[in-house]
Amino acid sequence: MANENTSQPAVITLEMIAQLKKEKLNEIQQSRQNMSQTIHELFAPVEQQGGVEGIMHHVHTGMAVFDGVRTGIKIMRKIRGYFRKKKK
C-alpha cells in the first residue's frame, strides 16, 4: 500500500536560499534592536525626582546602605569569632 502523501522533495534554488538569508538577517537585526532597547531600559539612570519624593528616595537609599554595612560588620565579627582562640 503506497502512501499518497509522499511527493518528490521540493527543489531548492539559489534564489530561495538568498531570500531565506535576507529574512533571517532581518530577524537578527530586529532581535538585536529589541535586545538593545531592553538593555537600555533596564540600565538607564534613574531620573531625578524633586521635592519630598527625592528626599525620601535619598533617605531610603541611605538606610539601605547603613543596614548593609551593619549586617556586614555583624557577619565579619561572627566569622572572626570562629577563628579566634578562646581564652580560659
Side-chain angles (χ1 to χ4, degrees):
M1 183 173 213
N3 190 356
E4 297 175 7
N5 293 333
T6 58
S7 61
Q8 293 186 357
V11 177
I12 299 175
T13 63
L14 290 176
E15 290 82 18
M16 291 172 63
I17 293 172
Q19 181 64 29
L20 286 172
K21 184 178 177 181
K22 280 184 183 179
E23 290 173 5
K24 294 301 175 187
L25 284 175
N26 287 336
E27 286 179 25
I28 290 171
Q29 289 173 349
Q30 185 65 32
S31 294
R32 184 177 293 149
Q33 289 174 353
N34 289 342
M35 288 172 50
S36 176
Q37 181 180 358
T38 302
I39 289 172
H40 178 70
E41 290 171 1
L42 287 174
F43 296 107
V46 178
E47 295 180 11
Q48 295 294 325
Q49 298 173 343
V52 175
E53 291 177 1
I55 293 171
M56 290 306 295
H57 178 71
H58 287 299
V59 169
H60 178 69
T61 303
M63 290 300 292
V65 169
F66 174 75
D67 189 45
V69 169
R70 190 178 63 168
T71 303
I73 290 172
K74 285 182 179 180
I75 290 171
M76 284 180 10
R77 286 181 181 166
K78 195 76 150 172
I79 291 173
R80 280 189 205 159
Y82 291 126
F83 293 109
R84 286 187 183 157
K85 294 181 182 178
K86 294 189 176 187
K87 297 179 182 178
K88 289 187 177 184

Coordinates of all heavy atoms in Angstrom, one line a residue:
M1 N 0.8 -1.2 0.0 CA 0.0 0.0 0.0 C 0.9 1.2 0.0 O 1.7 1.5 0.9 CB -0.9 0.0 1.2 CG -1.8 1.1 1.3 SD -2.9 0.8 2.7 CE -4.3 1.5 2.1
A2 N 0.8 2.1 -1.0 CA 1.7 3.2 -1.2 C 1.1 4.4 -0.4 O -0.1 4.6 -0.3 CB 1.8 3.6 -2.6
N3 N 1.9 5.2 0.1 CA 1.5 6.4 0.9 C 1.2 7.5 -0.1 O 2.0 7.9 -1.0 CB 2.6 6.8 1.8 CG 2.1 7.9 2.8 OD1 1.0 8.4 2.7 ND2 3.0 8.3 3.7
E4 N 0.0 8.1 -0.1 CA -0.5 9.1 -1.0 C 0.2 10.4 -0.7 O 0.2 11.3 -1.6 CB -2.0 9.2 -1.0 CG -2.7 7.9 -1.4 CD -4.2 8.0 -1.3 OE1 -4.7 9.1 -0.9 OE2 -4.9 7.0 -1.5
N5 N 0.6 10.7 0.5 CA 1.2 12.0 0.8 C 2.6 12.1 0.4 O 3.2 13.2 0.5 CB 1.1 12.2 2.3 CG -0.4 12.3 2.8 OD1 -1.2 12.7 2.0 ND2 -0.6 11.9 4.0
T6 N 3.3 11.1 0.0 CA 4.7 11.2 -0.4 C 4.7 11.9 -1.7 O 4.0 11.6 -2.7 CB 5.4 9.9 -0.5 OG1 4.7 9.0 -1.4 CG2 5.4 9.2 0.9
S7 N 5.6 12.9 -1.8 CA 5.8 13.6 -3.1 C 7.3 13.8 -3.2 O 8.1 13.6 -2.3 CB 5.1 15.0 -3.1 OG 5.6 15.7 -2.0
Q8 N 7.7 14.2 -4.4 CA 9.1 14.4 -4.6 C 9.6 15.6 -3.8 O 8.9 16.5 -3.5 CB 9.4 14.7 -6.1 CG 9.1 13.5 -6.9 CD 9.5 13.7 -8.4 OE1 9.9 14.8 -8.7 NE2 9.3 12.7 -9.2
P9 N 10.9 15.6 -3.3 CA 11.4 16.7 -2.5 C 11.3 18.0 -3.3 O 11.5 18.0 -4.5 CB 12.8 16.3 -2.2 CG 13.1 15.1 -3.0 CD 11.9 14.5 -3.5
A10 N 11.1 19.1 -2.5 CA 11.0 20.4 -3.1 C 12.4 20.8 -3.6 O 13.4 20.5 -3.0 CB 10.5 21.4 -2.1
V11 N 12.4 21.5 -4.7 CA 13.6 21.9 -5.4 C 14.0 23.2 -4.7 O 13.2 24.2 -4.6 CB 13.4 22.2 -6.9 CG1 14.7 22.7 -7.5 CG2 13.0 20.9 -7.5
I12 N 15.2 23.2 -4.2 CA 15.8 24.4 -3.5 C 16.7 25.1 -4.5 O 17.6 24.6 -5.0 CB 16.5 24.0 -2.3 CG1 15.6 23.3 -1.3 CG2 17.1 25.3 -1.6 CD1 16.3 22.8 -0.1
T13 N 16.3 26.4 -4.7 CA 17.1 27.2 -5.7 C 18.0 28.2 -4.9 O 17.8 28.5 -3.8 CB 16.2 27.9 -6.7 OG1 15.4 28.9 -5.9 CG2 15.3 27.0 -7.4
L14 N 18.9 28.8 -5.6 CA 19.8 29.8 -5.1 C 19.0 31.0 -4.7 O 19.3 31.7 -3.7 CB 20.9 30.2 -6.0 CG 22.0 29.1 -6.3 CD1 23.0 29.6 -7.3 CD2 22.7 28.8 -5.0
E15 N 18.0 31.3 -5.4 CA 17.1 32.5 -5.1 C 16.4 32.3 -3.8 O 16.2 33.2 -3.0 CB 16.1 32.7 -6.3 CG 16.7 33.3 -7.5 CD 17.3 32.2 -8.4 OE1 16.9 31.0 -8.2 OE2 18.1 32.5 -9.3
M16 N 15.9 31.0 -3.6 CA 15.2 30.7 -2.3 C 16.1 30.8 -1.2 O 15.8 31.4 -0.1 CB 14.6 29.3 -2.4 CG 13.5 29.1 -3.4 SD 12.9 27.4 -3.6 CE 12.4 27.0 -2.0
I17 N 17.4 30.4 -1.3 CA 18.4 30.4 -0.3 C 18.7 31.9 0.0 O 18.8 32.3 1.2 CB 19.6 29.7 -0.6 CG1 19.3 28.2 -0.7 CG2 20.7 29.9 0.4 CD1 20.4 27.3 -1.2
A18 N 18.8 32.7 -1.0 CA 19.1 34.1 -0.8 C 18.0 34.8 -0.1 O 18.2 35.7 0.8 CB 19.4 34.8 -2.2
Q19 N 16.8 34.5 -0.5 CA 15.6 35.1 0.2 C 15.5 34.7 1.6 O 15.3 35.6 2.5 CB 14.3 34.7 -0.5 CG 13.0 35.3 0.0 CD 13.0 36.8 -0.1 OE1 13.6 37.4 -1.0 NE2 12.3 37.4 0.8
L20 N 15.7 33.4 1.9 CA 15.7 33.0 3.3 C 16.8 33.7 4.1 O 16.7 34.0 5.3 CB 15.9 31.5 3.4 CG 14.7 30.6 3.0 CD1 15.0 29.2 2.9 CD2 13.5 30.9 4.0
K21 N 18.0 33.8 3.5 CA 19.1 34.5 4.2 C 18.8 35.9 4.5 O 19.0 36.4 5.6 CB 20.4 34.5 3.3 CG 21.6 35.0 3.9 CD 22.8 34.9 3.0 CE 24.0 35.6 3.6 NZ 25.2 35.5 2.8
K22 N 18.1 36.7 3.6 CA 17.7 38.0 3.8 C 16.7 38.1 5.0 O 16.8 38.9 5.9 CB 17.0 38.6 2.6 CG 18.0 39.1 1.6 CD 17.2 39.8 0.5 CE 18.1 40.2 -0.7 NZ 17.3 40.9 -1.8
E23 N 15.7 37.2 5.0 CA 14.7 37.1 6.1 C 15.4 36.9 7.4 O 15.0 37.5 8.4 CB 13.7 36.0 5.8 CG 12.8 36.4 4.6 CD 11.9 35.2 4.2 OE1 11.9 34.2 4.9 OE2 11.2 35.3 3.2
K24 N 16.3 35.9 7.5 CA 17.0 35.6 8.8 C 17.8 36.8 9.2 O 17.9 37.1 10.4 CB 17.8 34.4 8.6 CG 17.0 33.1 8.4 CD 16.0 32.9 9.5 CE 15.1 31.7 9.2 NZ 14.0 31.6 10.2
L25 N 18.5 37.5 8.3 CA 19.3 38.7 8.7 C 18.4 39.8 9.2 O 18.7 40.4 10.2 CB 20.1 39.2 7.5 CG 21.3 38.3 7.1 CD1 22.0 38.9 5.8 CD2 22.3 38.4 8.2
N26 N 17.2 39.9 8.6 CA 16.3 40.9 9.1 C 15.8 40.6 10.5 O 15.7 41.4 11.4 CB 15.1 41.1 8.2 CG 15.5 41.8 6.9 OD1 16.4 42.6 6.9 ND2 14.7 41.6 5.9
E27 N 15.5 39.3 10.7 CA 15.1 38.8 12.1 C 16.2 39.1 13.1 O 15.9 39.5 14.2 CB 14.8 37.3 12.0 CG 13.5 37.0 11.3 CD 13.2 35.5 11.3 OE1 13.7 34.8 12.2 OE2 12.5 35.1 10.4
I28 N 17.5 38.8 12.7 CA 18.6 39.0 13.6 C 18.7 40.5 14.0 O 18.9 40.9 15.1 CB 19.9 38.5 13.0 CG1 19.8 36.9 13.0 CG2 21.1 38.9 13.8 CD1 21.0 36.3 12.2
Q29 N 18.6 41.3 13.0 CA 18.7 42.8 13.2 C 17.6 43.3 14.1 O 17.8 44.1 15.0 CB 18.7 43.6 11.9 CG 20.0 43.4 11.1 CD 19.9 44.0 9.7 OE1 18.8 44.4 9.3 NE2 21.1 44.1 9.1
Q30 N 16.4 42.8 13.9 CA 15.2 43.2 14.7 C 15.4 42.7 16.2 O 15.2 43.4 17.1 CB 13.9 42.6 14.2 CG 12.7 43.0 14.9 CD 12.5 44.5 14.8 OE1 12.8 45.1 13.7 NE2 11.9 45.1 15.8
S31 N 15.9 41.5 16.3 CA 16.2 40.9 17.7 C 17.3 41.8 18.4 O 17.2 42.1 19.6 CB 16.6 39.5 17.6 OG 15.6 38.7 17.1
R32 N 18.3 42.1 17.6 CA 19.4 43.0 18.2 C 18.8 44.3 18.6 O 19.2 44.8 19.7 CB 20.5 43.1 17.1 CG 21.7 43.9 17.7 CD 22.8 44.0 16.6 NE 23.3 42.7 16.4 CZ 23.9 42.3 15.2 NH1 23.9 43.1 14.2 NH2 24.3 41.1 15.1
Q33 N 18.0 44.9 17.9 CA 17.4 46.2 18.3 C 16.5 46.0 19.5 O 16.6 46.9 20.4 CB 16.6 46.8 17.1 CG 17.4 47.3 16.0 CD 16.5 47.7 14.8 OE1 15.3 47.5 14.8 NE2 17.2 48.3 13.8
N34 N 15.7 45.0 19.6 CA 14.9 44.7 20.7 C 15.7 44.5 22.0 O 15.4 45.0 23.0 CB 14.0 43.5 20.5 CG 12.9 43.8 19.5 OD1 12.6 44.9 19.2 ND2 12.3 42.7 18.9
M35 N 16.8 43.7 21.9 CA 17.7 43.5 23.0 C 18.4 44.8 23.4 O 18.5 45.1 24.6 CB 18.7 42.4 22.6 CG 18.2 41.0 22.5 SD 19.3 39.8 21.9 CE 20.7 40.0 22.9
S36 N 18.8 45.6 22.5 CA 19.5 46.8 22.8 C 18.5 47.8 23.5 O 18.9 48.4 24.5 CB 20.0 47.5 21.5 OG 20.5 48.7 21.8
Q37 N 17.3 47.8 23.1 CA 16.3 48.7 23.7 C 16.0 48.2 25.1 O 15.9 49.0 26.1 CB 15.0 48.7 22.9 CG 13.9 49.6 23.5 CD 12.7 49.6 22.6 OE1 12.6 49.0 21.6 NE2 11.7 50.3 23.1
T38 N 15.9 46.9 25.3 CA 15.6 46.3 26.6 C 16.7 46.6 27.6 O 16.5 47.0 28.7 CB 15.4 44.8 26.5 OG1 14.3 44.5 25.6 CG2 15.0 44.2 27.9
I39 N 18.0 46.4 27.1 CA 19.1 46.7 28.0 C 19.2 48.2 28.4 O 19.4 48.5 29.5 CB 20.4 46.3 27.3 CG1 20.5 44.8 27.2 CG2 21.6 46.9 27.9 CD1 21.6 44.2 26.4
H40 N 18.8 49.0 27.4 CA 18.8 50.5 27.7 C 17.8 50.8 28.7 O 18.0 51.6 29.7 CB 18.6 51.3 26.4 CG 18.5 52.8 26.7 ND1 19.6 53.5 27.0 CD2 17.4 53.6 26.6 CE1 19.2 54.8 27.1 NE2 17.9 54.9 26.9
E41 N 16.6 50.2 28.6 CA 15.5 50.4 29.6 C 15.9 49.9 31.0 O 15.6 50.5 32.0 CB 14.2 49.8 29.2 CG 13.6 50.5 28.0 CD 12.4 49.7 27.4 OE1 12.1 48.6 28.0 OE2 11.9 50.1 26.4
L42 N 16.6 48.8 31.1 CA 17.0 48.2 32.3 C 18.1 49.0 33.0 O 18.0 49.1 34.3 CB 17.4 46.7 32.2 CG 16.4 45.7 31.8 CD1 17.0 44.4 31.5 CD2 15.4 45.6 33.0
F43 N 19.1 49.4 32.3 CA 20.2 50.1 32.9 C 20.3 51.6 32.8 O 21.3 52.2 33.1 CB 21.5 49.4 32.4 CG 21.6 48.0 32.7 CD1 21.4 47.0 31.8 CD2 21.9 47.6 34.0 CE1 21.5 45.6 32.1 CE2 22.0 46.2 34.3 CZ 21.8 45.3 33.4
A44 N 19.2 52.2 32.3 CA 19.2 53.6 32.2 C 19.2 54.3 33.5 O 18.6 53.7 34.5 CB 18.0 54.1 31.4
P45 N 19.9 55.4 33.7 CA 20.0 56.0 35.0 C 18.6 56.5 35.4 O 17.8 56.9 34.6 CB 20.9 57.2 34.8 CG 21.1 57.4 33.4 CD 20.7 56.1 32.7
V46 N 18.3 56.4 36.7 CA 17.0 56.8 37.2 C 16.9 58.4 37.1 O 17.8 59.1 37.4 CB 16.9 56.4 38.7 CG1 15.5 56.8 39.3 CG2 17.0 54.9 38.8
E47 N 15.7 58.8 36.7 CA 15.5 60.2 36.6 C 15.4 60.8 38.0 O 14.9 60.3 38.9 CB 14.2 60.5 35.8 CG 14.2 60.1 34.4 CD 12.9 60.4 33.6 OE1 12.1 61.1 34.2 OE2 12.8 59.8 32.5
Q48 N 16.0 62.0 38.1 CA 16.0 62.7 39.4 C 14.6 63.1 39.8 O 13.8 63.7 38.9 CB 16.9 63.9 39.3 CG 18.4 63.6 39.1 CD 18.9 62.9 40.3 OE1 18.6 63.1 41.5 NE2 19.8 61.9 40.0
Q49 N 14.2 62.9 41.0 CA 12.9 63.2 41.5 C 13.1 64.5 42.4 O 14.0 64.6 43.1 CB 12.3 62.1 42.3 CG 12.0 60.9 41.5 CD 11.6 59.7 42.3 OE1 11.7 59.7 43.5 NE2 11.0 58.7 41.7
G50 N 12.2 65.4 42.3 CA 12.3 66.6 43.1 C 11.4 66.5 44.3 O 10.5 65.7 44.4
G51 N 11.6 67.5 45.2 CA 10.7 67.6 46.3 C 10.8 66.5 47.3 O 11.9 66.0 47.6
V52 N 9.7 66.2 47.9 CA 9.6 65.2 49.0 C 10.0 63.8 48.5 O 10.7 63.1 49.2 CB 8.2 65.2 49.6 CG1 8.1 64.1 50.7 CG2 7.9 66.6 50.2
E53 N 9.6 63.5 47.3 CA 9.9 62.2 46.7 C 11.4 62.0 46.6 O 11.9 60.9 46.9 CB 9.2 62.0 45.4 CG 7.7 61.9 45.4 CD 7.1 61.8 44.0 OE1 7.8 61.8 43.0 OE2 5.9 61.7 44.0
G54 N 12.1 63.0 46.2 CA 13.6 63.0 46.0 C 14.2 62.8 47.4 O 15.2 62.0 47.5
I55 N 13.7 63.5 48.4 CA 14.3 63.4 49.7 C 14.1 62.0 50.3 O 15.0 61.4 50.8 CB 13.7 64.5 50.6 CG1 14.2 65.9 50.2 CG2 14.1 64.3 52.1 CD1 13.5 67.0 50.9
M56 N 12.9 61.5 50.1 CA 12.5 60.2 50.6 C 13.4 59.1 49.9 O 13.8 58.1 50.5 CB 11.0 59.9 50.4 CG 10.2 60.7 51.4 SD 10.6 60.6 53.1 CE 10.3 58.9 53.4
H57 N 13.6 59.3 48.6 CA 14.5 58.4 47.9 C 15.9 58.4 48.5 O 16.5 57.3 48.7 CB 14.5 58.7 46.4 CG 15.4 57.9 45.6 ND1 15.1 56.6 45.3 CD2 16.6 58.1 45.0 CE1 16.1 56.0 44.6 NE2 17.0 56.9 44.4
H58 N 16.4 59.5 48.8 CA 17.8 59.6 49.4 C 17.8 59.0 50.8 O 18.7 58.3 51.2 CB 18.2 61.1 49.5 CG 18.6 61.6 48.2 ND1 19.7 61.1 47.4 CD2 18.1 62.7 47.5 CE1 19.8 61.8 46.3 NE2 18.9 62.8 46.3
V59 N 16.7 59.2 51.6 CA 16.7 58.6 52.9 C 16.6 57.1 52.8 O 17.3 56.4 53.5 CB 15.4 59.2 53.7 CG1 15.2 58.4 55.0 CG2 15.6 60.7 54.0
H60 N 15.8 56.6 51.9 CA 15.6 55.2 51.7 C 17.0 54.6 51.3 O 17.4 53.5 51.8 CB 14.5 54.9 50.7 CG 14.4 53.5 50.4 ND1 13.8 52.6 51.3 CD2 14.7 52.7 49.3 CE1 13.8 51.4 50.8 NE2 14.3 51.4 49.6
T61 N 17.6 55.2 50.4 CA 18.9 54.7 49.9 C 20.0 54.7 51.1 O 20.7 53.7 51.3 CB 19.5 55.5 48.7 OG1 18.5 55.5 47.7 CG2 20.8 55.0 48.2
G62 N 20.0 55.8 51.8 CA 20.9 55.9 53.0 C 20.6 54.8 54.0 O 21.6 54.2 54.5
M63 N 19.4 54.5 54.3 CA 19.0 53.5 55.3 C 19.4 52.1 54.8 O 19.9 51.3 55.5 CB 17.5 53.5 55.6 CG 17.1 54.7 56.4 SD 17.9 54.8 58.0 CE 17.1 53.4 58.8
A64 N 19.3 51.9 53.5 CA 19.7 50.6 52.9 C 21.2 50.4 53.0 O 21.6 49.3 53.3 CB 19.2 50.5 51.4
V65 N 21.9 51.4 52.7 CA 23.4 51.4 52.8 C 23.8 51.1 54.3 O 24.6 50.3 54.6 CB 24.1 52.6 52.3 CG1 25.5 52.7 52.6 CG2 23.9 52.7 50.8
F66 N 23.2 51.9 55.2 CA 23.5 51.7 56.6 C 23.2 50.3 57.1 O 24.0 49.6 57.8 CB 22.7 52.7 57.5 CG 22.8 52.5 58.9 CD1 24.0 52.9 59.6 CD2 21.8 51.9 59.7 CE1 24.1 52.7 60.9 CE2 22.0 51.7 61.0 CZ 23.1 52.1 61.7
D67 N 22.0 49.7 56.7 CA 21.7 48.4 57.1 C 22.6 47.4 56.5 O 23.0 46.4 57.1 CB 20.2 48.1 56.6 CG 19.7 46.8 57.1 OD1 19.9 46.5 58.3 OD2 19.1 46.0 56.3
G68 N 23.1 47.6 55.2 CA 24.0 46.7 54.6 C 25.4 46.7 55.3 O 26.0 45.6 55.6
V69 N 25.9 47.9 55.7 CA 27.1 47.9 56.4 C 27.0 47.3 57.8 O 27.9 46.5 58.2 CB 27.6 49.4 56.5 CG1 28.7 49.6 57.5 CG2 27.9 50.0 55.2
R70 N 25.9 47.6 58.5 CA 25.7 47.0 59.8 C 25.7 45.4 59.7 O 26.3 44.8 60.5 CB 24.4 47.5 60.4 CG 24.3 47.2 61.9 CD 23.0 47.7 62.4 NE 21.9 47.2 61.7 CZ 20.7 47.3 62.0 NH1 20.3 48.0 63.1 NH2 19.7 46.7 61.3
T71 N 25.0 44.9 58.7 CA 24.9 43.5 58.6 C 26.3 42.9 58.2 O 26.6 41.8 58.8 CB 23.9 43.1 57.5 OG1 22.6 43.7 57.8 CG2 23.7 41.6 57.3
G72 N 27.0 43.6 57.4 CA 28.4 43.1 57.0 C 29.3 43.1 58.2 O 30.1 42.1 58.4
I73 N 29.2 44.1 59.1 CA 30.0 44.1 60.3 C 29.7 42.9 61.2 O 30.5 42.3 61.8 CB 29.9 45.5 61.0 CG1 30.6 46.5 60.2 CG2 30.5 45.4 62.4 CD1 30.3 47.9 60.7
K74 N 28.4 42.7 61.4 CA 27.9 41.6 62.2 C 28.5 40.2 61.7 O 28.9 39.4 62.4 CB 26.4 41.5 62.3 CG 25.8 42.5 63.2 CD 24.3 42.4 63.2 CE 23.6 43.4 64.1 NZ 22.2 43.2 64.2
I75 N 28.4 40.1 60.4 CA 28.9 38.8 59.8 C 30.4 38.7 60.0 O 30.9 37.6 60.3 CB 28.5 38.8 58.3 CG1 27.0 38.6 58.1 CG2 29.3 37.6 57.6 CD1 26.5 38.8 56.7
M76 N 31.1 39.8 59.8 CA 32.6 39.7 60.0 C 32.9 39.4 61.4 O 33.8 38.6 61.7 CB 33.2 41.1 59.6 CG 33.3 41.3 58.1 SD 34.1 42.9 57.6 CE 34.8 43.6 59.0
R77 N 32.2 39.9 62.4 CA 32.5 39.6 63.8 C 32.2 38.1 64.1 O 33.0 37.5 64.8 CB 31.7 40.5 64.7 CG 32.1 41.9 64.8 CD 31.3 42.7 65.7 NE 31.8 44.1 65.7 CZ 31.1 45.1 66.2 NH1 29.9 44.9 66.8 NH2 31.6 46.3 66.2
K78 N 31.2 37.6 63.5 CA 30.8 36.2 63.7 C 31.9 35.3 63.1 O 32.3 34.3 63.8 CB 29.4 36.0 63.1 CG 28.8 34.7 63.5 CD 28.2 34.9 64.9 CE 27.0 34.1 65.0 NZ 26.5 34.1 66.4
I79 N 32.3 35.6 61.9 CA 33.4 34.8 61.3 C 34.7 34.9 62.1 O 35.4 33.9 62.3 CB 33.6 35.2 59.8 CG1 32.3 34.9 59.0 CG2 34.8 34.6 59.2 CD1 32.4 35.4 57.6
R80 N 35.1 36.1 62.5 CA 36.3 36.2 63.3 C 36.2 35.4 64.6 O 37.2 34.9 65.1 CB 36.5 37.7 63.7 CG 37.1 38.5 62.6 CD 37.5 39.9 63.1 NE 37.5 40.8 62.1 CZ 37.5 42.1 62.2 NH1 37.3 42.6 63.4 NH2 37.5 42.9 61.2
G81 N 35.0 35.3 65.2 CA 34.8 34.6 66.4 C 35.1 33.1 66.2 O 35.6 32.4 67.1
Y82 N 34.9 32.6 65.1 CA 35.1 31.2 64.8 C 36.6 30.9 64.7 O 37.1 29.8 65.0 CB 34.5 30.7 63.5 CG 33.0 30.7 63.6 CD1 32.2 31.3 62.7 CD2 32.4 29.9 64.6 CE1 30.8 31.2 62.7 CE2 31.0 29.8 64.6 CZ 30.2 30.5 63.7 OH 28.9 30.4 63.8
F83 N 37.4 31.9 64.3 CA 38.9 31.7 64.1 C 39.7 32.1 65.3 O 40.9 31.8 65.3 CB 39.3 32.4 62.8 CG 38.8 31.8 61.6 CD1 37.8 32.5 60.9 CD2 39.2 30.6 61.1 CE1 37.3 32.0 59.7 CE2 38.7 30.1 60.0 CZ 37.7 30.7 59.3
R84 N 39.2 32.8 66.2 CA 39.9 33.2 67.4 C 40.1 32.1 68.4 O 39.2 31.2 68.5 CB 39.2 34.4 68.1 CG 39.3 35.7 67.4 CD 38.7 36.8 68.2 NE 38.8 38.0 67.5 CZ 38.0 39.0 67.7 NH1 37.1 39.0 68.7 NH2 38.1 40.1 67.0
K85 N 41.2 32.1 69.1 CA 41.4 31.1 70.1 C 40.6 31.6 71.4 O 40.8 32.8 71.7 CB 42.9 30.9 70.4 CG 43.6 30.3 69.3 CD 45.1 30.2 69.7 CE 45.8 29.6 68.5 NZ 47.3 29.4 68.8
K86 N 39.9 30.7 72.0 CA 39.2 31.1 73.2 C 40.1 31.1 74.4 O 40.9 30.1 74.6 CB 38.0 30.2 73.4 CG 37.0 30.4 72.3 CD 35.7 29.7 72.6 CE 34.7 29.9 71.5 NZ 33.4 29.4 71.8
K87 N 40.1 32.1 75.2 CA 40.9 32.2 76.4 C 40.1 31.7 77.5 O 38.9 32.0 77.7 CB 41.4 33.6 76.6 CG 42.3 34.1 75.6 CD 42.7 35.5 75.9 CE 43.5 36.1 74.8 NZ 43.9 37.5 75.0
K88 N 40.8 30.9 78.4 CA 40.0 30.4 79.6 C 40.6 31.0 80.8 O 41.6 31.4 81.1 CB 40.1 28.9 79.7 CG 39.3 28.3 78.6 CD 39.3 26.8 78.8 CE 38.4 26.1 77.8 NZ 38.3 24.7 78.0

